[in-house]
Amino acid sequence: MSGTDTLLPLRIPELGPYLGRIVSGTGRTPGGLHLDGIRLRLATRIFESAGEARRLASREKRTAAVQAIGRDAWLVAWEEAVGSTVGLLMERVSAQLDAEARAVGLPKRRRRRMLPGNDEARAARARLGSSGTGLVQVLNQLEHVSGQAVAATGLDSGAMAAWQRALRLAGRRLEAAWLALEDEVTREAARWQQEANLVAAWRRPVLGVIVAGAAGTALAVWLGLIFGGYLAPPWWLAALWSEMTP
């Protein structure tokens, strides 16, 4: 086999510089949430995948190496980050709504109904996940060129270069997706803040309190007149009193 027919070394580029602020941090707390732990976990997942790909490539397991840093690895890391962010957001929202409801004396049953459930969490996940639309497009391209990189020789060195470019672009798009996710978290938190404001403005219906108070007062006056001898008791009250009196 000539030199041009020899398989090219499968070199995985350093991805840290292309992940940008996923690694260095954004300095933001979107919606009051501290997402640094989730962000660093996302970066770690990508670095771990790249490290595994290098290990496999050093053993000439080219197909497995390409798969280790392929489309699925990036998507799993991204979806895990989205899911963790939604979970943290829903916890904060639930705590805030419950605190506001308790402060204004909202009945317990109504408190339970207003807290976000599975449907709200799924909707929030869909909105936050949409931040990765551009990432998914690049990962589809990465999948397309991965097979060519496995078989790349000196005759088609462009295939290897295209795969490496796709990996670098995936890093940039992942950074963009994370920044868009933080923006969406800010918007999502603002939506729920409006709900919290409505809860905080709730007041127990005044008419019901007045009616209940008036009824209680009338009953007390009526019983007072009966026991004071000013009114004759109804038969059922007289019968009850006679049963209770030895």
Side-chain angles (χ1 to χ4, degrees):
M1 181 180 291
S2 66
T4 54
D5 294 333
T6 303
L7 289 174
L8 291 174
L10 195 65
R11 294 192 174 93
I12 293 84
E14 290 294 336
L15 297 175
Y18 301 96
L19 295 177
R21 281 171 285 183
I22 294 180
V23 176
S24 64
T26 65
R28 299 193 293 179
T29 53
L33 294 177
H34 295 277
L35 301 179
D36 286 347
I38 298 173
R39 172 181 58 78
L40 291 174
R41 177 58 182 161
L42 175 59
T44 299
R45 288 293 298 268
I46 299 302
F47 290 147
E48 288 175 347
S49 296
E52 177 65 7
R54 292 188 184 94
R55 185 186 68 83
L56 292 168
S58 69
R59 298 183 179 184
E60 292 302 319
K61 297 181 178 181
R62 297 172 68 88
T63 299
V66 166
Q67 291 175 346
I69 193 62
R71 179 180 185 274
D72 290 347
W74 292 82
L75 278 182
V76 167
W78 168 248
E79 290 171 0
E80 180 184 275
V82 172
S84 297
T85 302
V86 171
L88 192 62
L89 176 62
M90 291 297 101
E91 286 179 8
R92 179 183 176 86
V93 166
S94 295
Q96 182 181 11
L97 289 176
D98 189 63
E100 296 287 4
R102 290 177 182 275
V104 298
L106 196 69
K108 185 175 182 180
R109 183 176 297 180
R110 290 191 62 180
R111 289 206 310 267
R112 288 197 300 266
R113 288 201 302 265
M114 74 177 185
L115 296 180
N118 292 333
D119 289 343
E120 289 81 6
R122 281 193 293 269
R125 179 163 188 151
R127 287 190 288 269
L128 267 63
S130 66
S131 305
T133 300
L135 171 66
V136 172
Q137 294 172 351
V138 169
L139 294 181
N140 289 338
Q141 179 62 22
L142 175 63
E143 184 79 3
H144 178 71
V145 300
S146 292
Q148 301 170 13
V150 171
T153 66
L155 293 173
D156 54 358
S157 58
M160 181 65 69
W163 177 69
Q164 292 172 333
R165 283 196 302 272
L167 283 173
R168 296 186 185 100
L169 183 56
R172 294 191 186 100
R173 289 295 174 85
L174 185 62
E175 179 196 23
W178 177 262
L179 296 176
L181 176 107
E182 287 192 347
D183 291 340
E184 187 58 44
V185 168
T186 299
R187 288 188 287 270
E188 194 72 21
R191 292 189 191 99
W192 285 105
Q193 183 60 54
Q194 293 177 357
E195 294 293 326
N197 292 342
L198 291 175
V199 173
W202 182 87
R203 295 295 181 268
R204 192 178 298 277
V206 176
L207 180 60
V209 174
I210 293 175
V211 170
T217 301
L219 178 61
V221 171
W222 179 65
L223 290 174
L225 292 173
I226 289 174
F227 290 115
Y230 296 99
L231 291 177
W235 67 267
W236 54 268
L237 183 58
L240 178 62
W241 182 257
S242 63
E243 290 179 2
M244 296 175 60
T245 304

